């Protein structure tokens, strides 16, 4: 059976998983084998997502599972994103998470749930089911994603998402192919989400990969053509995963890109500097 959750369109058979290490199949269709399997949970400042312009100063219950439908060689969460069910996890139902989020809202000022750490949308059913309960409680849902799920998935979840951060990893189809992704799909996600929820974007500047002036200028101009008020987080790379021999991003380059972005965008933020 073909999985239509992302652009890989993996052909699945029972007992096997797709490239994301999560999607599998039974007689009823495809489903996420990591449903309710939580590997990471923390009460974080919302700015850590990063979301700077939706309820700033708030805390949010952040949860993640395992797996991803991209294979970025500089992944900062590779210990959970680039593995499958061999990763340690605990089972939590949407009801359990919603109850915990409500408890934290009373005790610690938690505003809701952020789906983050690995790629949440390879298991979008869990995001949808949990987010619906969070909405019923009057709390907020935040999604941190690579924007590599199908637009049908976007339609399923966006009625319940109050804020979103999308990783715009590079502005080159070739670069996206090297990461196992599709730039056109991410751009379509951004266009669709921009007018329907609070949206912020993040670009990690990786030396030798996407630190090109022309590429960055093209990205900035494209974002501005949608809405110059969309916040852009330009984030500094540090050696990790398969890029341990690559130097951290030059701070001077970070400031040059910041200045370039500020000429066309109203809200630009530097990260890890």
């Amino acid at each position: 059976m073909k999985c239509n959750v992302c652009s890989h369109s993996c052909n699945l058979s029972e007992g096997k998983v797709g490239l994301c290490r999560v999607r599998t199949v039974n007689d009823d269709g495809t489903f996420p084998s990591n449903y309710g399997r939580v590997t990471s949970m923390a009460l974080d400042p919302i700015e850590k997502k990063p979301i700077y312009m939706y309820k700033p100063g708030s805390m949010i219950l952040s949860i993640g599972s395992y797996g991803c439908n991209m294979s970025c060689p500089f992944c900062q969460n590779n210990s959970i994103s680039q593995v499958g069910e061999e990763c340690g996890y605990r089972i939590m139902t949407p009801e359990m998470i919603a109850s915990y989020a409500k408890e934290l809202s009373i005790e610690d000022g938690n505003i809701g749930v952020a789906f983050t750490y690995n790629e949440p949308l390879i298991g979008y059913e869990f995001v949808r089911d949990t987010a619906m309960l969070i909405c019923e409680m009057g709390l907020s849902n935040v999604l941190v994603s690579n924007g590599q799920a199908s637009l049908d998935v976007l339609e399923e979840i966006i009625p319940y998402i109050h804020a979103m951060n999308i990783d715009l990893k590079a502005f080159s189809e070739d670069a996206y192919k090297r990461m196992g992704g599709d730039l056109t799909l991410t751009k379509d996600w951004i266009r669709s989400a921009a007018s329907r929820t609070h949206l912020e974007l993040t670009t990690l500047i990786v030396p030798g990969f996407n630190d090109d002036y022309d590429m960055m200028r093209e990205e900035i101009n494209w974002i501005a053509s949608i809405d110059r008020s969309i916040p852009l987080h330009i984030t500094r790379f540090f050696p990790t995963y398969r890029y341990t021999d690559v130097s951290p991003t030059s701070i001077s380059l970070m400031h040059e890109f910041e200045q370039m972005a500020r000429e066309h965008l109203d809200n630009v933020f530097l990260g890890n500097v």
Side-chain angles (χ1 to χ4, degrees):
M1 185 176 292
K2 181 172 287 190
C3 176
N4 295 316
V5 168
C6 77
S7 60
H8 291 300
S9 299
C10 295
N11 289 310
L12 303 176
S13 58
E14 194 165 355
K16 303 294 183 182
V17 293
L19 289 173
C20 64
R21 303 175 177 86
V22 164
R23 303 297 302 184
T24 188
V25 67
N26 59 20
D27 291 341
D28 296 324
T30 69
F31 68 96
S33 60
N34 69 341
Y35 189 100
R37 295 179 176 182
V38 176
T39 64
S40 307
M41 176 179 288
L43 187 62
D44 285 338
I46 196 169
E47 288 83 2
K48 195 174 178 181
K49 300 306 99 190
I51 298 283
Y52 278 23
M53 299 186 69
Y54 178 81
K55 298 189 176 182
S58 301
M59 302 296 287
I60 190 161
L61 178 62
S62 303
I63 61 172
S65 185
Y66 58 80
C68 185
N69 53 359
M70 294 185 72
S71 53
C72 306
F74 41 79
C75 180
Q76 297 174 337
N77 288 323
N78 61 86
S79 62
I80 57 173
S81 71
Q82 301 302 308
V83 299
E85 63 181 6
E86 69 273 14
C87 184
Y89 59 83
R90 55 177 153 167
I91 299 294
M92 297 191 72
T93 65
E95 290 78 11
M96 291 169 65
I97 291 171
S99 177
Y100 188 39
K102 186 66 172 180
E103 178 184 329
L104 289 173
S105 73
I106 297 169
E107 296 178 355
D108 300 290
N110 173 45
I111 64 165
V113 171
F115 303 92
T116 181
Y117 300 136
N118 74 311
E119 173 48 51
L121 295 181
I122 54 176
Y124 77 90
E125 295 94 337
F126 186 73
V127 174
R128 177 199 62 207
D129 296 349
T130 305
M132 289 173 66
L133 297 177
I134 296 298
C135 283
E136 290 173 6
M137 292 179 169
L139 300 178
S140 296
N141 292 298
V142 169
L143 175 72
V144 181
S145 174
N146 59 23
Q148 285 293 294
S150 72
L151 295 181
D152 288 340
V153 169
L154 175 63
E155 294 303 317
E156 283 254 8
I157 64 158
I158 202 163
Y160 314 108
I161 302 298
H162 301 86
M164 187 183 300
N165 186 296
I166 298 295
D167 279 328
L168 183 53
K169 295 177 182 288
F171 212 71
S172 157
E173 286 288 2
D174 180 64
Y176 260 78
K177 288 177 182 176
R178 290 163 60 190
M179 296 179 286
D182 179 352
L183 174 60
T184 298
L185 180 55
T186 296
K187 290 166 68 176
D188 289 344
W189 254 78
I190 292 168
R191 286 194 195 94
S192 183
S195 61
R196 303 166 70 185
T197 190
H198 176 81
L199 175 68
E200 303 194 15
L201 304 177
T202 297
T203 299
L204 177 71
I205 306 300
V206 183
F209 185 81
N210 65 349
D211 58 341
D212 179 84
Y213 285 88
D214 290 338
M215 184 190 299
M216 193 64 186
R217 187 175 293 106
E218 187 177 359
E219 173 183 322
I220 291 163
N221 289 335
W222 180 80
I223 296 169
S225 73
I226 299 172
D227 184 346
R228 63 174 293 133
S229 70
I230 294 174
L232 174 63
H233 301 264
I234 303 172
T235 306
R236 190 183 184 207
F237 163 85
F238 286 95
T240 188
Y241 194 32
R242 295 175 178 164
Y243 268 36
T244 55
D245 58 344
V246 177
S247 299
T249 318
S250 159
I251 291 180
S252 63
L253 178 65
M254 295 291 293
H255 286 295
E256 287 180 49
F257 280 177
E258 177 191 23
Q259 185 59 40
M260 184 189 302
R262 288 190 183 280
E263 293 175 5
H264 301 279
L265 301 174
D266 297 332
N267 303 294
V268 180
F269 307 99
L270 289 187
N272 293 344
V273 174

